[in-house]
Amino acid sequence: MFHIKQLELVHWDYWRRFNLPLDAQIITIVGPNGSGKTTLLDALRTLFGLRCSGKRDFRRYVRRANRSFAWIRAVVANRPGSTGKRPFFPCLKDEVTLACRIRRAGGDWTRDYAIADGDLPIEALEANEDKAVEWVGYRDYQSRLAWGGLTPAIAKVLALEQGDTDKLCEYSPKALLELVFDVFGDKEVLDNYAAAREEQNNAEKELAALGLDLDRLRAQAETKRLEADRYLEWKQLDDEARALAAEIVPRLEVAELLRDIAQARDDIARGRSERQKSEDELNAQRARSAGVEAEKATAEAERKAARSRDLEAEEQHRNALIQVHDCDKLLAERTALRARLAREAGDAAVDLEADYARADARLVHLQRQEREAIAAFEERTAQLRATRDHRGPPADGEVSRFRNRLREAGIAHRALAEIVEVTDPDWQGAVEAVLRPYRHVILLEREQDRHAAWGLGEQERFRHFIVPELETAPPATRGSLAEVIRFADAVPRWLADLLNRIQRVEDADAARQLPRETEWITRDGYHRERRGARHLGKPAEFHFGELARKARLKQCEADMHSIDARLREIRPQLDAAKEEADALRARLHGIEAAQLLAARATDFEAAENTLPAARARLTQAIADRADAKGDVDRIDQSLRGIEIELDRRRRDMAGLAARVNQLTAEAAPRRHDQANRIQRLRRVRRGMPADWRDPAANALLADKYDGARGARAELERLRQRLANGDWVTDDTVLTLAGRLKADVLDRESQYAERERHCNAARRITGEARAAYIAKLRATVRQYGKNLRALGDLANVDVDCPVPLLDNDDRALAAAGLEVRFDFDRKGAVGLNDGEASGGQQVMKSLILLIALLMDEARPGGFVFIDEPFAHLDIANIDRVGTFLRATRAQYLITTPVTHNANVFAPAQLTLVTRKKKPGDDWAPPIGLIQRSL
């Protein structure tokens, strides 16, 4: 580092102008307190860009001169160092002028600095005719001085406060280590580490700030997203509410009105139809009730008749019992007479009487056969007349009774046998066999009478079909059974299908040519169907068509001829039997017993003949009596049923009448409501778009909202929700949400980039820290070497171990420099452990201070030391002086005049300061004492 050769001050404090030679190693500045020793050092500090001592600054000194400008100029050495480089390159002369120009500007003081090659006076610097001198600012000037060797660390040492130079030993190990590295450390390494650490800290701070900003931005984006969602939800709800109010509710109302109108129209029509039906049913019920009343009267008459028959049966039973008793009595008398005849006339008379009895019995039998044949002939004669007069089927009691009930109820009908005509006599038997189950089927002429007819059939327990569904018979299939039948009127469809399905064949062998599934029948009635084949049996009596009637006529005539032949056969036998009986009766005449037997033979024979009949009549009377009682009970039960039926029908009629009245009362309000609905529909539908009337779309809307009522409820719910909810209704929130989302993505990208940068900064910091630690170790080793060298000069053992330095900021922050001193072989003492004396404290501080300024690459330099000999005895003053002379640095030492003269022993140049006298404008110039070499 350079050293000072000359100093010139103009208007500095109370000095007007003077020039001091400072080309010496040890310069002592002596004077009383307040004579300007520190002021002189502060001038040098201001020139070198250092901080003044205490709370002073350069303005304090220039204001005292009461002038508008001030100058501080120094000439310093610029000789090349061990590297051959001059401190103030590109200045190539051995001397360089350093100047500080202070001027008043607008009420404040400013200072400019210049570095000029060679020794230039103040006037030349002021004139600067050739513009060779460049005036710079404070920061640039400090940078130039740092290149010259006056680094910020050395500047820090030079700027130590008055009295602090002897207190370096009181520094903490950590503070001392920091000071040592500030002075000795490689500026670039330190700058790199500081820059890397600063970059890392900045990067981490920036990353943390960016992370906070990203979190804040994410929170804002999330808030805006939620607000956007709320807006979208509000928009959706508002649009739906508007659509409900403007379109959906009217559409559903119209659809429901149309549906209600159609339903009401159907209800009105249904009500009208139901009322008409109820009236018809009421009339029918009244008619049927009248029929039931008639049936009740009939049943009561039947019950009366049945009771009469019961009485008659009882009377017949009594008479039959008496007749059986009388017959038994007569036969007992005959037996007694025969016994008497056997006693009086012998057994021959008994045999004769037996022959007479047999002849008489044969006569009675032939007479009975004659009577029965005559009755049968008369019956067949009546049937012949009836068959000739009537073209229908043979009468059946059950069917006739039921048809009479249908006629009484006004139900027009026909029997199936009345409309079927067989056109081929050869197939009459087969047709009769197939249609035998359907002989008594009843066909209704009006289909609407079916329920009434079925009701009567239920009452009568009618076992045959009542068919209301009739249609014209389709054309007959060729070869089918329907081909030999002609229908006079409409028939059930199932009957026509049945007859068309059955094919006619001559015999079973002829059916081989037909398909497997074909139904067929032979003339003899052998029928094949899906279940198999069987013989249906040929009916003895035909029912269907004219051929059946003719067959019945023919049968009646044949029966009459047969009966007549039987009568012609019986009558001769009857005459012979009468003659034989008369002859035997004559032979028995003359014997009393025989006469009695003969006289009463008729009675006896009648009794004998009557007895089986009487017993049969008795049995029949018993059965008739039981039947009569059963009829009475049945009729009583039937009457109870009729009473129940009448009561039910009365209730039904009352209900029907009430229903008719109710339907009549409901019809007018319904028509009125229907008219109101139609008017409302016209009002609501007026001006409605055509597509709003689409039934399919309206049906979907109705399914979605459950009708207009549900849509109105949904509309009210949406309105309540819109009114009570905290919604966002400004659509700009969507733009803001999108922008914030994009900003978040961009900021996340930036955060990732900064995070990579931060990781790189950490890596670079780690590398710079490693380099810094390596340099710090080397610096500590160099400083320890300097300390030991200075200790040898001062005859003090100094130990400066290298501290533990790890590649970690915390370890570096906690590291310190432990320096131990051993004075006079009395034991090592630390920096500030209270073991050293005052002189030893000053020696420790000087060693520590001067070791900071020892640089083999830049030997020399200067040091400002304020009063280092304070509180030292004479021996220590000499010791310190010897130590200072042994070093190669330039020292500017202040000392008060009260010290021992030994303080001047090491000085080669002594500057003597004096106080300004009262009344003088300027202080006296500084005195100069130079030791001759």
Side-chain angles (χ1 to χ4, degrees):
M1 192 178 72
F2 62 90
H3 68 274
I4 307 169
K5 302 182 70 174
Q6 183 181 348
L7 175 64
E8 183 177 7
L9 299 178
V10 176
H11 298 159
W12 181 256
D13 196 63
Y14 292 112
W15 290 316
R16 187 171 186 177
R17 182 173 183 175
F18 62 85
N19 193 347
L20 295 175
L22 298 178
D23 191 9
Q25 180 186 3
I26 300 174
I27 301 170
T28 302
I29 304 172
V30 62
N33 293 334
S35 61
K37 298 187 295 298
T38 303
T39 301
L40 182 60
L41 292 180
D42 283 343
L44 290 173
R45 290 189 178 100
T46 302
L47 176 63
F48 295 133
L50 305 177
R51 180 173 52 84
C52 295
S53 61
K55 298 181 180 180
R56 305 175 184 182
D57 65 353
F58 72 95
R59 298 177 183 82
R60 173 179 181 275
Y61 296 110
V62 296
R63 280 197 300 267
R64 286 186 174 183
N66 197 19
R67 294 293 186 268
S68 60
F69 67 93
W71 282 86
I72 305 173
R73 185 184 72 90
V75 178
V76 298
N78 189 31
R79 294 186 178 88
S82 60
T83 60
K85 183 178 179 182
R86 295 181 181 271
F88 294 100
F89 184 82
C91 297
L92 301 178
K93 294 182 179 181
D94 291 339
E95 293 181 350
V96 171
T97 300
L98 305 180
C100 175
R101 182 178 61 186
I102 303 173
R103 294 180 295 183
R104 189 190 298 272
D108 196 7
W109 295 92
T110 62
R111 51 182 172 173
D112 299 319
Y113 292 93
I115 300 176
D117 196 5
D119 185 3
L120 296 179
I122 293 176
E123 289 75 11
L125 294 174
E126 180 69 22
N128 196 16
E129 295 177 353
D130 54 0
K131 304 296 183 181
V133 178
E134 180 183 3
W135 293 95
V136 297
Y138 179 72
R139 300 298 179 189
D140 294 337
Y141 179 67
Q142 279 187 327
S143 299
R144 292 290 305 275
L145 291 180
W147 280 104
L150 187 58
T151 62
I154 296 178
K156 181 178 181 181
V157 175
L158 295 176
L160 289 175
E161 294 290 333
Q162 182 178 1
D164 284 349
T165 55
D166 59 350
K167 294 182 180 178
L168 285 178
C169 62
E170 298 180 5
Y171 276 32
S172 65
K174 180 176 180 301
L176 181 60
L177 180 62
E178 291 177 355
L179 181 62
V180 169
F181 190 78
D182 285 346
V183 176
F184 282 98
D186 189 346
K187 176 65 174 175
E188 184 178 359
V189 175
L190 180 60
D191 291 344
N192 290 340
Y193 173 56
R197 187 169 58 184
E198 182 68 20
E199 180 67 19
Q200 177 186 348
N201 292 335
N202 292 337
E204 290 179 348
K205 291 179 181 178
E206 185 177 357
L207 184 64
L210 193 61
L212 292 175
D213 187 56
L214 179 58
D215 293 340
R216 177 187 58 79
L217 193 59
R218 283 174 176 168
Q220 292 178 355
E222 181 66 17
T223 302
K224 289 301 178 183
R225 185 189 68 79
L226 295 176
E227 291 180 358
D229 291 344
R230 294 294 288 172
Y231 169 76
L232 292 176
E233 185 178 1
W234 171 84
K235 181 65 175 174
Q236 181 182 359
L237 295 176
D238 185 65
D239 291 344
E240 187 175 356
R242 292 177 184 273
L244 282 169
E247 177 182 352
I248 296 174
V249 171
R251 288 179 66 174
L252 292 178
E253 287 179 350
V254 168
E256 289 190 357
L257 281 174
L258 290 172
R259 184 193 63 196
D260 294 343
I261 288 172
Q263 185 176 358
R265 186 182 297 114
D266 294 341
D267 290 343
I268 291 173
R270 193 182 301 109
R272 188 184 301 112
S273 174
E274 186 178 358
R275 184 181 63 183
Q276 184 63 40
K277 181 180 177 181
S278 298
E279 290 177 350
D280 295 342
E281 189 174 354
L282 179 60
N283 295 330
Q285 285 283 9
R286 287 171 179 168
R288 288 194 290 270
S289 181
V292 175
E293 291 285 354
E295 185 179 355
K296 179 182 177 181
T298 303
E300 288 178 347
E302 290 179 356
R303 182 175 62 179
K304 185 176 180 181
R307 286 180 178 175
S308 299
R309 288 195 301 273
D310 185 22
L311 294 175
E312 291 176 359
E314 187 179 359
E315 182 66 23
Q316 289 176 2
H317 174 264
R318 188 167 49 253
N319 295 333
L321 185 62
I322 292 172
Q323 187 177 11
V324 169
H325 185 268
D326 292 343
C327 290
D328 288 339
K329 184 178 179 180
L330 287 173
L331 290 176
E333 289 180 2
R334 188 184 68 173
T335 301
L337 289 174
R338 284 181 176 178
R340 179 183 172 185
L341 177 62
R343 287 192 306 270
E344 292 178 355
D347 294 334
V350 175
D351 294 335
L352 181 62
E353 192 277 333
D355 292 338
Y356 173 75
R358 285 193 295 274
D360 189 64
R362 183 169 178 270
L363 176 62
V364 172
H365 176 68
L366 290 174
Q367 288 176 346
R368 186 169 62 252
Q369 285 184 349
E370 182 185 20
R371 288 194 301 271
E372 290 176 356
I374 293 172
F377 187 82
E378 292 177 352
E379 182 180 359
R380 289 291 184 273
T381 303
Q383 289 180 358
L384 181 62
R385 286 197 298 270
T387 303
R388 286 175 178 173
D389 296 337
H390 181 64
R391 293 184 176 275
D396 182 85
E398 179 186 3
V399 176
S400 298
R401 286 195 303 272
F402 183 69
R403 295 188 68 178
N404 289 333
R405 292 292 304 275
L406 292 177
R407 293 188 190 96
E408 291 173 359
I411 300 174
H413 65 280
R414 300 182 71 178
L416 178 63
E418 295 176 355
I419 65 171
V420 176
E421 184 68 38
V422 181
T423 59
D424 190 343
D426 294 337
W427 290 94
Q428 180 77 33
V431 172
E432 292 282 349
V434 171
L435 298 182
R436 179 187 297 172
Y438 313 115
R439 287 178 177 177
H440 303 299
V441 170
I442 303 299
L443 307 178
L444 302 181
E445 295 185 2
R446 296 187 303 271
E447 187 176 351
Q448 58 268 26
D449 293 337
R450 61 186 184 279
H451 294 290
W454 291 341
L456 292 176
E458 181 184 14
Q459 294 176 13
E460 293 293 332
R461 297 186 177 180
F462 190 62
R463 296 179 296 105
H464 305 286
F465 291 113
I466 302 172
V467 184
E469 298 86 0
L470 306 176
E471 61 181 34
T472 303
T477 303
R478 184 177 181 80
S480 67
L481 196 61
E483 196 176 16
V484 299
I485 295 176
R486 183 177 67 252
F487 296 105
D489 203 347
V491 294
R493 180 58 184 258
W494 55 265
L495 180 62
D497 293 342
L498 172 66
L499 298 174
N500 274 314
R501 190 168 61 245
I502 301 174
Q503 290 290 317
R504 292 177 289 118
V505 295
E506 291 298 326
D507 51 26
D509 290 335
R512 294 177 182 271
Q513 306 300 326
L514 297 178
R516 184 181 182 88
E517 66 275 3
T518 304
E519 290 188 33
W520 48 264
I521 193 168
T522 65
R523 295 177 187 271
D524 189 43
Y526 195 74
H527 178 223
R528 189 267 176 190
E529 59 170 337
R530 61 182 178 83
R531 294 175 293 180
R534 64 172 179 168
H535 197 282
L536 299 179
K538 192 171 183 180
E541 190 176 59
F542 293 163
H543 278 69
F544 296 95
E546 185 64 21
L547 291 177
R549 190 177 70 85
K550 289 180 179 179
R552 289 196 300 273
L553 288 174
K554 185 177 179 181
Q555 185 66 37
C556 286
E557 291 175 354
D559 291 343
M560 290 178 65
H561 288 299
S562 177
I563 294 172
D564 185 62
R566 177 66 178 159
L567 285 174
R568 288 195 302 270
E569 181 182 353
I570 291 175
R571 283 171 180 166
Q573 296 177 2
L574 180 64
D575 294 339
K578 187 176 182 180
E579 290 177 358
E580 182 181 2
D582 290 342
L584 291 173
R585 186 183 303 109
R587 291 176 64 186
L588 290 173
H589 190 73
I591 301 174
E592 183 179 3
Q595 290 179 357
L596 291 175
L597 286 172
R600 302 184 63 182
T602 302
D603 295 336
F604 291 148
E605 183 180 3
E608 186 178 10
N609 293 331
T610 303
L611 181 60
R615 286 178 176 170
R617 282 195 298 274
L618 178 60
T619 304
Q620 184 64 36
I622 294 172
D624 290 344
R625 186 179 180 185
D627 291 341
K629 287 186 176 293
D631 290 341
V632 171
D633 294 338
R634 178 180 60 79
I635 293 171
D636 287 340
Q637 184 177 2
S638 177
L639 277 174
R640 286 193 295 272
I642 290 172
E643 288 291 344
I644 294 172
E645 179 68 15
L646 278 176
D647 184 64
R648 183 181 67 80
R649 290 188 182 278
R650 291 190 188 102
R651 290 196 304 271
D652 291 345
M653 285 189 295
L656 287 172
R659 182 59 178 164
V660 169
N661 295 333
Q662 180 184 0
L663 292 173
T664 304
E666 291 176 353
R670 284 184 177 177
R671 289 194 296 271
H672 179 70
D673 294 341
Q674 180 74 340
N676 291 336
R677 278 191 289 268
I678 293 173
Q679 291 177 359
R680 183 183 174 192
L681 175 64
R682 290 172 180 172
R683 288 194 306 270
V684 174
R685 198 167 57 180
R686 187 178 295 114
M688 183 175 288
D691 58 343
W692 287 16
R693 305 178 189 177
D694 185 7
N698 292 336
L700 292 176
L701 290 175
D703 291 339
K704 180 178 180 181
Y705 293 101
D706 196 17
R709 182 178 180 181
R712 285 190 292 270
E714 179 67 13
L715 175 60
E716 182 62 24
R717 186 187 70 81
L718 290 177
R719 285 176 174 172
Q720 289 291 335
R721 188 174 177 185
L722 288 172
N724 298 330
D726 185 12
W727 303 103
V728 177
T729 60
D730 188 1
D731 58 354
T732 57
V733 71
L734 297 177
T735 305
L736 292 176
R739 290 179 180 176
L740 285 174
K741 183 177 180 181
D743 291 344
V744 167
L745 295 177
D746 183 61
R747 195 62 55 82
E748 287 177 346
S749 176
Q750 294 178 7
Y751 183 82
E753 181 65 26
R754 296 307 302 171
E755 190 173 19
R756 290 192 294 271
H757 176 71
C758 186
N759 293 332
R762 292 190 184 99
R763 178 178 55 79
I764 294 172
T765 302
E767 295 174 355
R769 186 187 303 110
Y772 169 70
I773 291 173
K775 182 61 178 177
L776 185 59
R777 287 195 179 100
T779 300
V780 171
R781 285 195 295 270
Q782 179 62 38
Y783 185 64
K785 181 179 179 183
N786 294 345
L787 288 176
R788 285 189 292 274
L790 292 175
D792 292 340
L793 294 175
N795 197 20
V796 177
D797 290 337
V798 181
D799 183 23
C800 182
V802 178
L804 179 63
L805 301 174
D806 290 334
N807 192 2
D808 181 75
D809 287 336
R810 293 183 180 179
L812 290 177
L817 188 60
E818 296 286 348
V819 182
R820 302 185 65 81
F821 299 89
D822 187 1
F823 292 93
D824 302 327
R825 304 296 187 270
K826 294 181 178 180
V829 294
L831 290 175
N832 190 24
D833 53 5
E835 297 293 333
S837 63
Q840 291 175 349
Q841 288 288 92
V842 172
M843 286 298 296
K844 288 195 292 184
S845 296
L846 287 175
I847 291 173
L848 294 174
L849 174 64
I850 296 170
L852 290 175
L853 301 175
M854 293 177 62
D855 189 355
E856 294 180 355
R858 294 178 178 179
F862 53 89
V863 182
F864 302 150
I865 304 177
D866 249 347
E867 299 183 358
F869 304 112
H871 309 294
L872 295 182
D873 57 12
I874 296 173
N876 282 323
I877 291 175
D878 292 338
R879 189 174 186 179
V880 171
T882 303
F883 171 74
L884 293 177
R885 285 194 298 271
T887 62
R888 294 185 296 172
Q890 182 181 26
Y891 299 97
L892 280 79
I893 302 173
T894 63
T895 181
V897 295
T898 58
H899 275 155
N900 189 278
N902 292 340
V903 300
F904 304 106
Q908 298 173 354
L909 181 64
T910 301
L911 304 178
V912 181
T913 60
R914 292 173 291 173
K915 292 184 179 181
K916 183 178 76 71
K917 295 179 180 181
D920 292 344
D921 293 333
W922 304 102
I926 297 177
L928 180 64
I929 301 175
Q930 187 170 8
R931 186 185 299 273
S932 61
L933 297 177

